[in-house]
Amino acid sequence: MADFVECTTYQEINLDENPVVVPRCGHVITVSSLDGHMAMSKFYRMSDDGNIHGVISSLEPFSVEDLKACPICRYPLRNIHRYNRIVKRGLIGEATKRFIVWANASFIPLEEQLNTQEVALSTTKASLGRSSSQSLESDDPNIIELSQSRATQIRKFSELAGLRPRYAEALIVRSHVQRFLRKVKEAEQPYGKVYRMVQDVRRATGEVVDFAAEGNILRVRERLLASALLLRCDLMLLSDFVKAYHDLSGQNSSRYRWPKGKLTMNLTQNRKDCQDLAADAALQGQPMQEIEARVYFARFVTLERAAADASTTKVQKLVELAREQLQTAKTLCSRSPNTKTMLKEVEAVEKELRESTFYTAITNDEKRAVYAAMKADFGGTGHWYYCREGHLFTVGECGMPMQTSVCPQCGAPVGGSHHQAVEGVRPARDMDEQFGRLGI
C-alpha cells in the first residue's frame, strides 16, 4: 500500500495528481501520506492541494516529539529534502534535551563540592603553611590592594606562599565551575552552534536576512545557575582571605612574614558582575538567580566595608545601595513559594549591614533542600512535565500530580490534583526517557 489516506496501492495511484516519495529503505509512499505522517501542517502553511505557502516560525520548544521513521519499516526519514526542516528541528531538539540532562547532572556535583569547601574553610583556622620559602611581603609593604577583576583578586592572594595549601582544593573547584560555565553558554548549545554557523555562511555570501536566535530553545537557566555558583565561589574565597588577614595580623612563622601593609579593596567589578547577573536573571524570568545576585552584591559591600573606613561617604553610599538590593530581593522572595527559601539568607545579610560585620558562612538549609530535591529528580525519580510556557518541572513520589504550585521560572500554574494536571501542563515523556537512561 502506497497511500495510507485512501488505502490504495502504487498501481492504483495517478502520479500526476498524487506524486510519490521513495525513501532510502525503498518503499513507495505518496507525498500526501508522508505529509500527514510528518505533520507538515504543524510547520508550514499548506494549501489544500499540498503546496507549501510559508513557514510557521512560532513553534514551541521541542515541538518535534519524535524523529519520524518510515511507516512501513521504521527506517529513519532523514534524507528527504521536503522534510529537512522538520528533521533538523527534531535533531536539534534531541541534542538540546541531551544538553539539559548533562548540564543538570553536572551542576549538582559542583554545588556539592562548593558546599564542602565552604564548610571546610569555615571550620578550619587559617595558618601559615610551609610549602616554600617565599615571603608574603608584597611589592608595597604599606598597602595590600585587591581590585580589578575577580580572577585577578583571587590570583593575587591565593599565590601568597603561606596560604596556598588552604585554597588549593577550593581553586580546583573554581576551575571546574569556570569550565562548566563556558560549556553552558548559549553559543555552545546545540541551537546556538547552528545559529552561529548559519550566520557565518550568510555573512560570507553577503546575504542579509533577519535570522533571530529563538530564545525559547536557547537554555539560559543553566548559564545563570553557573554564573551564580561562580560568584558564590569567589565570595567564599575572598571573604575567607579577609578573615585570615585579620586573624593572622602580626603573626610570623619560621619561613613566612605576614604582610604589615593595610588591606584595601575596590570591588567595583564584583558588584557590577552581580548587577549584570541580576538584570539578566530578571530579563529571563529567573527570580531565584536574581535574588542570589542581589544578595552577593550586598555581601561584597560588607567585605569592602571591612577593609575601609566605615564613616566615609563612599562606604555609606555603598551600604545604602546594598540595602536597596536586599529590599528588592525580599520583595522577590514574597512573590513565589519557590523563592521563599532565600529569605533567611537575605535577612542574615541585612543583619551584617546593621552590625557592621562582614561575610560569615550561613547554612541555607532550605536552599540545600532544593538542590537535594533536584538531585533526586535527576536521579530518575518521579516524572517530568512541561508547563504551558515549555519550562520543565518534576512531580515526585508516584509521578502523578496531587497538588498545585507555580512554575519557578515563569509563575505559570503547574501540578494538579487527583492525578489530573492543570490546564496547559503536558507530560515530558522524552525527558523521562533521557533521565532514565542517564542512570545517576
Side-chain angles (χ1 to χ4, degrees), residues 65-83:
E65 295 183 358
D66 298 298
L67 290 171
K68 302 294 185 179
C70 172
I72 299 174
C73 68
R74 311 308 298 167
Y75 188 88
L77 298 174
R78 299 190 182 183
N79 300 98
I80 303 174
H81 182 71
R82 181 176 178 86
Y83 308 116

Side-chain angles (χ1 to χ4, degrees), residues 301-415:
V301 169
T302 63
L303 274 179
E304 198 164 357
R305 181 177 61 180
D309 183 356
S311 64
T312 62
T313 303
K314 177 185 175 182
V315 172
Q316 291 175 352
K317 287 183 178 179
L318 286 177
V319 170
E320 286 302 315
L321 287 174
R323 289 195 177 108
E324 291 175 6
Q325 294 286 334
L326 293 176
Q327 185 57 48
T328 303
K330 289 183 75 173
T331 302
L332 291 169
C333 287
S334 64
R335 290 180 180 174
S336 168
N338 304 84
T339 55
K340 286 182 179 179
T341 58
M342 292 293 295
L343 185 59
K344 178 180 177 181
E345 193 167 350
V346 174
E347 292 174 343
V349 183
E350 283 185 322
K351 182 179 179 181
E352 291 176 2
L353 285 174
R354 288 195 305 269
E355 298 179 357
S356 298
T357 57
F358 67 90
Y359 177 80
T360 53
I362 297 173
T363 302
N364 190 334
D365 295 330
E366 293 84 357
K367 187 165 69 173
R368 287 175 185 169
V370 172
Y371 288 131
M374 287 173 62
K375 183 177 182 180
D377 290 337
F378 300 135
T381 64
H383 289 294
W384 287 85
Y385 294 83
Y386 292 114
C387 79
R388 68 187 182 197
E389 300 298 330
H391 300 130
L392 286 163
F393 68 95
T394 58
V395 175
E397 302 297 336
C398 69
M400 302 298 288
M402 289 296 293
Q403 62 183 29
T404 58
S405 183
V406 294
C407 173
Q409 299 186 57
C410 65
V414 296

